[in-house]
Amino acid sequence: MQENPRKRGRPKSFSGNAAQTTIQSLDRALEVLDRLAASKGLTLTEIATDLGQSPATIYRVLATLEARAFVEMDPAAQAWHVGPMAFRLGSAFLRRSSVAERSRPVMHDLMQATGETSNLGIERQGEVMFVSQVETNESIRAFFPPGTLSPIHASGIGKALLSRHGEDQLNRYFRTCRQDSFTDKTITTPEALRQELERIRDQGYAYDDEERTVGMRCVAAPIVNLYGEAVAGISVSGPTHRMASERIAEIGELVRDAANTISRGLGAPDAGDNG
């Protein structure tokens, strides 16, 4: 029996004009969720002030989201937090690809082998978005909650992903994204970053030497799919006193091998090819 064709994702009259197609109340609700996701809890007054809206307007948004369990309030602190339904939807995003699921056991092994926190990140609009993490038991450790964004040029995973870009992609990146400085080690020019990407291709892993945060280092490698495209990056990150310079090559091999293991699981034809 022939299946009926799926309906279009947009109405025939859709114009693509954001000003005409955006639902203001929905946009405001999503903005509230975004603020809560980036915080450890905010009061009604704090949210209203941050968004430039009246407390009454924001309360109606919060009440609507609370009824659907997208947000919840801590009565003791009078602070609002992201609710369980938001987590459920976020998990659906991760299920779009098997990379997150396939990476978890490898990340656990990588954390055990290095003694440092293992991370999984993807590229999103010129930044790295961390989607999964396996933390070390050490008291001082790197911490990137799922959804955390980091500049792609100042991130181990970011540079690993950039190393797989073709020339057209790189040129587009340099045209549209800034390379801001965060420490005196941040790479801030296209010429220097291109040289860095060549080194990454040669050795198979990227090294963030306190380029985003003083006192923290990161070693990362790209995860590729069946078509050789970088779909994610895996990394190990930790403080400089434990990730000493003499350990970087050893950790780099472990991270590169972990990325290759995941890539093979995604059907990569030759996970060891860094070209």
Side-chain angles (χ1 to χ4, degrees):
M1 181 177 179
Q2 185 176 6
E3 294 184 0
N4 292 327
R6 299 179 71 179
K7 299 296 184 182
R8 293 176 180 268
R10 299 187 178 102
K12 291 181 179 179
S13 60
F14 179 77
S15 66
N17 188 322
Q20 297 176 5
T21 59
T22 299
I23 301 174
Q24 187 175 11
S25 58
L26 177 58
D27 186 66
R28 185 179 298 124
L30 293 174
E31 197 169 13
V32 169
L33 275 176
D34 187 52
R35 291 296 194 280
L36 291 178
S39 74
K40 295 183 179 179
L42 295 171
T43 66
L44 171 61
T45 301
E46 288 171 336
I47 300 171
T49 301
D50 188 25
L51 297 182
Q53 300 287 335
S54 71
T57 297
I58 296 302
Y59 182 74
R60 287 195 296 270
V61 171
L62 290 169
T64 302
L65 293 173
E66 184 182 31
R68 294 279 187 168
F70 281 97
V71 302
E72 55 189 15
M73 189 184 76
D74 176 4
Q78 290 292 299
W80 291 87
H81 301 266
V82 169
M85 185 57 72
F87 174 79
R88 179 181 175 187
L89 291 187
S91 298
F93 168 74
L94 295 181
R95 291 196 301 270
R96 276 176 35 189
S97 169
S98 61
V99 64
E101 181 181 351
R102 290 181 180 275
S103 298
R104 288 300 291 183
V106 180
M107 292 171 66
H108 276 281
D109 291 344
L110 187 58
M111 185 275 289
Q112 292 289 344
T114 62
E116 300 297 342
T117 296
S118 178
N119 313 284
L120 184 74
I122 61 174
E123 183 176 352
R124 181 169 175 81
Q125 298 178 348
E127 295 183 291
V128 172
M129 183 171 75
F130 292 91
V131 296
S132 186
Q133 182 176 67
V134 176
E135 292 185 73
T136 178
N137 294 321
E138 298 286 348
S139 57
I140 301 176
R141 57 186 181 271
F143 181 57
F144 304 103
T148 299
L149 296 173
S150 182
I152 199 167
H153 71 287
S155 158
I157 288 180
K159 292 192 295 181
L161 293 172
L162 282 178
S163 74
R164 300 291 301 198
H165 281 14
E167 190 63 24
D168 289 343
Q169 286 178 293
L170 278 179
N171 289 335
R172 190 180 311 117
Y173 164 75
F174 287 124
R175 285 196 307 270
T176 58
C177 299
R178 294 167 44 182
Q179 291 81 56
D180 293 330
S181 178
F182 300 97
T183 75
D184 59 5
K185 294 186 176 181
T186 307
I187 300 173
T188 58
T189 66
E191 295 76 16
L193 188 52
R194 286 181 184 276
Q195 292 178 4
E196 175 76 354
L197 297 181
E198 283 295 330
R199 284 192 292 270
I200 294 169
R201 295 185 190 104
D202 290 341
Q203 64 194 11
Y205 63 86
Y207 177 34
D208 165 13
D209 183 16
E210 302 182 271
E211 294 162 38
R212 180 65 175 88
T213 304
V214 174
M216 299 298 293
R217 286 176 172 151
C218 173
V219 179
I223 297 168
V224 301
N225 63 12
L226 173 66
Y227 307 102
E229 301 163 338
V231 294
I234 187 171
S235 72
V236 162
S237 53
T240 54
H241 70 271
R242 290 203 307 267
M243 291 187 63
S245 299
E246 55 268 23
R247 289 194 66 202
I248 298 305
E250 173 196 351
I251 293 174
E253 290 185 11
L254 292 171
V255 173
R256 183 180 58 203
D257 290 346
N260 289 342
T261 296
I262 300 168
S263 297
R264 283 193 293 270
L266 296 176
D270 185 356
D273 181 8
N274 302 312

